[in-house]
Amino acid sequence: MSADERSREKRGRDESEAQEALDDETIREAVEQSSRGVPAAGAVVRDRFSADEIFHRIVAAADDEITTGIRELFFSALAAGFAITLTFMLYASLTDGTGGAPIVGALLYPLGFVYIIIGDYQLFTENTLPPVALVLERLASVPALLTVWTIVLFGNLLGGALGAYVLANTGVFSPSVMSTAVGIAEQGVATPWSSLFFKGVFAGLIVAGVVWLDYASQDTTARLVLVYVAFLAIPLGDLYHGVVSATEVLFLVFRGELALVTGAIDFALPVLLGNAVGGVLLVTVVNYFQAVEREYQEQNYVLTFRELCFGRFARGDYSPPPRDD
């Protein structure tokens, strides 16, 4: 056999082995290992997370959250509730300062939410996604979810109450801004129950969507822009956020303009229910079913239906030890 024939034979074997190796790779893996050139479909390039990867990041974050101590969870929620006061304060102040111009008045509305999400505080409407994902995966029980919700919501409301009291009684608002703030809150109370609920549904969709996209983001600048634009849509869309609405109710109560029970039932409750429905059903459940990979379930004990419903009263709330089968 001549040298040329041996060279051609070797080159043929190399090409055959290379093709076999390529057949074992996915397109995505081949692109990652490519030394030159890009595919026509730019989405194939790994410059963003897949739906499965986003969902896995959320599950990992929920693992930390649901095992966090009550004290840490409560004070994080308390800080978030007080930060919401900034949203109400700046919305009222800018609305008054611009003569009631709706678009300009809303420009600083997202600031409180920027503090909360970038600062990683606990907000009730954010918790319609991560801990619910654990329940859908049967890695956490319904009672464990309700415990997290209760602690976070109580902390949010208490923080909002502290902020509302300060705004209502300490002269932070000028008389003109005070009148505007009262008007904003009274407008919400005067809105029909069903309208508040469905406005809350769309706001809940926005918040849970922000949480999903937040875990898809890879830098703080992208998160900042995302949070600002998304939460700006709430006042511009004439929607309502539950914790902000509760803060407005408490503000009116401290001003002596409204009975607590009336404000809670006619304003805060329908908005909170709408937020929960919009976040859980329209975002969490839908995104759960588009994420198909469940590798972590192979390493985790999955709760039985009884454990899922009754938690510690059956066996445990979260990550019990494997069965002795």
Side-chain angles (χ1 to χ4, degrees):
M1 181 181 296
S2 67
D4 288 343
E5 290 175 336
R6 286 196 297 272
S7 177
R8 285 196 296 271
E9 182 179 352
K10 182 177 184 301
R11 187 164 56 250
R13 285 199 305 269
D14 291 343
E15 290 176 354
S16 177
E17 291 173 357
Q19 184 61 46
E20 290 178 1
L22 185 60
D23 290 341
D24 291 335
E25 295 176 329
T26 65
I27 294 177
R28 193 180 296 272
E29 289 169 340
V31 170
E32 285 181 334
Q33 296 171 15
S34 176
S35 60
R36 61 182 179 274
V38 294
V44 177
V45 182
R46 294 299 300 272
D47 58 354
R48 62 182 181 180
F49 295 112
S50 68
D52 291 311
E53 290 168 333
I54 297 170
F55 192 80
H56 294 166
R57 296 185 78 194
I58 289 172
V59 168
D63 174 86
D64 290 334
E65 181 177 306
I66 209 162
T67 55
T68 298
I70 293 176
R71 183 187 64 184
E72 291 84 356
L73 200 61
F74 169 75
F75 279 102
S76 180
L78 184 71
F82 197 80
I84 284 295
T85 307
L86 293 175
T87 285
F88 179 50
M89 179 187 73
L90 295 171
Y91 185 38
S93 299
L94 199 56
T95 299
D96 179 75
T98 57
I103 296 179
V104 179
L107 289 178
L108 294 181
Y109 182 94
L111 185 60
F113 295 99
V114 170
Y115 280 0
I116 291 167
I117 295 180
I118 302 300
D120 199 26
Y121 297 139
Q122 294 293 329
L123 188 65
F124 172 75
T125 45
E126 286 186 79
N127 279 277
T128 57
L129 182 53
V132 175
L134 286 182
V135 173
L136 291 173
E137 289 293 87
R138 296 176 66 172
L139 299 176
S141 68
V142 173
L145 168 65
L146 296 179
T147 299
V148 170
W149 276 4
T150 301
I151 295 170
V152 170
L153 182 58
F154 178 70
N156 288 167
L157 295 179
L158 184 57
L162 293 173
Y165 180 83
V166 171
L167 294 180
N169 295 285
T170 60
V172 173
F173 283 156
S174 67
S176 175
V177 176
M178 183 71 74
S179 177
T180 300
V182 169
I184 290 172
E186 288 180 338
Q187 180 182 353
V189 175
T191 304
W193 208 96
S194 59
S195 297
L196 288 171
F197 174 79
F198 286 107
K199 287 174 181 288
V201 168
F202 280 98
L205 186 155
I206 289 173
V207 177
V210 166
V211 176
W212 177 269
L213 294 176
D214 180 44
Y215 283 98
S217 302
Q218 301 189 41
D219 62 80
T220 302
T221 301
R223 291 187 177 96
L224 181 61
V225 173
L226 165 68
V227 173
Y228 180 82
V229 173
F231 282 100
L232 185 62
I234 292 180
L236 294 183
D238 194 25
L239 306 177
Y240 290 98
H241 183 275
V243 181
V244 178
S245 298
T247 301
E248 293 177 8
V249 166
L250 292 166
F251 173 76
L252 291 178
V253 170
F254 292 133
R255 290 288 302 168
E257 306 277 351
L258 182 69
L260 178 60
V261 174
T262 301
I265 294 176
D266 292 347
F267 187 18
L269 180 61
V271 176
L272 280 169
L273 290 176
N275 289 168
V277 170
V280 172
L281 295 184
L282 299 182
V283 177
T284 305
V285 173
V286 170
N287 285 327
Y288 170 78
F289 284 109
Q290 73 159 328
V292 296
E293 295 181 7
R294 300 285 186 266
E295 292 93 345
Y296 45 81
Q297 284 190 341
E298 298 175 2
Q299 287 82 37
N300 286 274
Y301 167 78
V302 178
L303 300 178
T304 65
F305 181 76
R306 176 180 170 83
E307 292 164 344
L308 184 69
C309 294
F310 299 105
R312 69 186 62 183
F313 298 104
R315 179 166 180 169
D317 278 327
Y318 181 60
S319 295
R323 290 190 183 90
D324 296 323
D325 290 342

